[in-house]
Amino acid sequence: ETGVTQSPTHLIKTRGQQVTLRCSSQSGHNTVSWYQQALGQGPQFIFQYYREEENGRGNFPPRFSGLQFPNYSSELNVNALELDDSALYLCASSKAGRGGYTFGSGTRLTVV
Amino acid sequence: AQSVTQPDIHITVSEGASLELRCNYSYGATPYLFWYVQSPGQGLQLLLKYFSGDTLVQGIKGFEAEFKRSQSSFNLRKPSVHWSDAAEYFCAVLPEGGNKLTFGTGTQLKVEL
């Protein structure tokens, strides 16, 4: 079975720009969650998507938004980038209600 | 809201020595419990998980963890550490039926040869 794949692996953006990160879920998984991991910290929950709808959100502002597509892949969009948005962004997929999350290798975003 | 505490930020052990990484959680009921490992610049790999049943859980790479309800703990153990185990380890909780994993701040493991 394929795992979770994320693209791109690294990205450098300027403050104020917008960015889109992509995630392909593991085969058989229908739920995608996004996490932000700042340097030296544990991952923080951004939001989850299930059946193409947002299904729970962490303490992140509305400029963090997402999409889930019919094939269960997902995008994370961040508008008006700030320096503090620099982090590793992790995508995790799972089967709804089963509790087991498979993580991708992440996208390292640097905002300058 | 649930929270996870990993009291040890850094741990150094000699190769071949035993290892115990501590994890305590705060939650009203028994959540699902996880240990993940992260190598530098990489994503998270699941070592093991506890949903219910036997409180001693076996995972990959020779790791095990024991759930102790009375102590709200889920400590990770390995009887003999290998140099390749050097990485950062995260404990996480998920409320039953919930969708948000809450992670601890991680324990950085260094293995001395």
Side-chain angles (χ1 to χ4, degrees):
Chain A
E1 61 184 14
T2 59
V4 176
T5 57
Q6 293 187 241
S7 62
T9 55
H10 296 83
L11 203 53
I12 299 175
K13 289 287 190 177
T14 303
R15 189 172 50 184
Q17 285 188 314
Q18 178 265 343
V19 69
T20 297
L21 310 181
R22 294 178 174 81
C23 171
S24 294
S25 60
Q26 179 170 310
S27 175
H29 286 185
N30 55 9
T31 299
V32 174
S33 304
W34 286 91
Y35 289 79
Q36 180 196 66
Q37 186 179 18
L39 204 59
Q41 300 295 316
Q44 299 288 318
F45 177 72
I46 303 175
F47 44 55
Q48 183 182 83
Y49 276 81
Y50 173 61
R51 290 185 175 177
E52 302 176 47
E53 299 275 341
E54 188 178 288
N55 181 41
R57 189 179 185 93
N59 189 26
F60 282 82
R63 59 190 186 82
F64 285 77
S65 63
L67 285 172
Q68 186 181 30
F69 300 99
N71 66 353
Y72 308 122
S73 65
S74 177
E75 287 182 354
L76 165 65
N77 299 289
V78 187
N79 294 321
L81 284 166
E82 300 177 359
L83 297 179
D84 285 349
D85 296 333
S86 295
L88 181 67
Y89 287 84
L90 295 164
C91 171
S93 71
S94 63
K95 287 185 182 178
R98 297 295 294 272
Y101 290 81
T102 302
F103 281 81
S105 297
T107 294
R108 172 71 63 186
L109 172 65
T110 303
V111 183
V112 297
Chain B
Q2 64 266 25
S3 66
V4 178
T5 301
Q6 293 181 248
D8 303 306
I9 298 173
H10 296 97
I11 282 185
T12 300
V13 299
S14 298
E15 190 175 38
S18 63
L19 172 70
E20 182 169 30
L21 302 183
R22 294 182 291 165
C23 172
N24 292 94
Y25 66 91
S26 174
Y27 183 62
T30 299
Y32 298 157
L33 297 158
F34 305 83
W35 275 99
Y36 285 89
V37 61
Q38 186 176 39
S39 297
Q42 298 298 310
L44 300 170
Q45 182 182 22
L46 179 66
L47 288 175
L48 47 78
K49 59 190 176 188
Y50 173 78
F51 287 176
S52 64
D54 192 346
T55 57
L56 185 63
V57 180
Q58 301 297 319
I60 63 171
K61 304 186 179 186
F63 286 93
E64 66 178 26
E66 185 172 13
F67 168 60
K68 292 186 177 180
R69 185 190 307 274
S70 62
Q71 298 177 19
S72 296
S73 69
F74 189 55
N75 294 348
L76 182 70
R77 300 193 295 246
K78 186 169 185 178
S80 178
V81 170
H82 188 262
W83 64 266
S84 61
D85 293 325
E88 187 146 28
Y89 292 79
F90 291 95
C91 180
V93 301
L94 177 72
E96 186 175 352
N99 60 6
K100 170 188 170 184
L101 275 168
T102 298
F103 287 85
T105 51
T107 297
Q108 186 71 47
L109 174 65
K110 180 180 175 181
V111 180
E112 290 183 333
L113 300 176

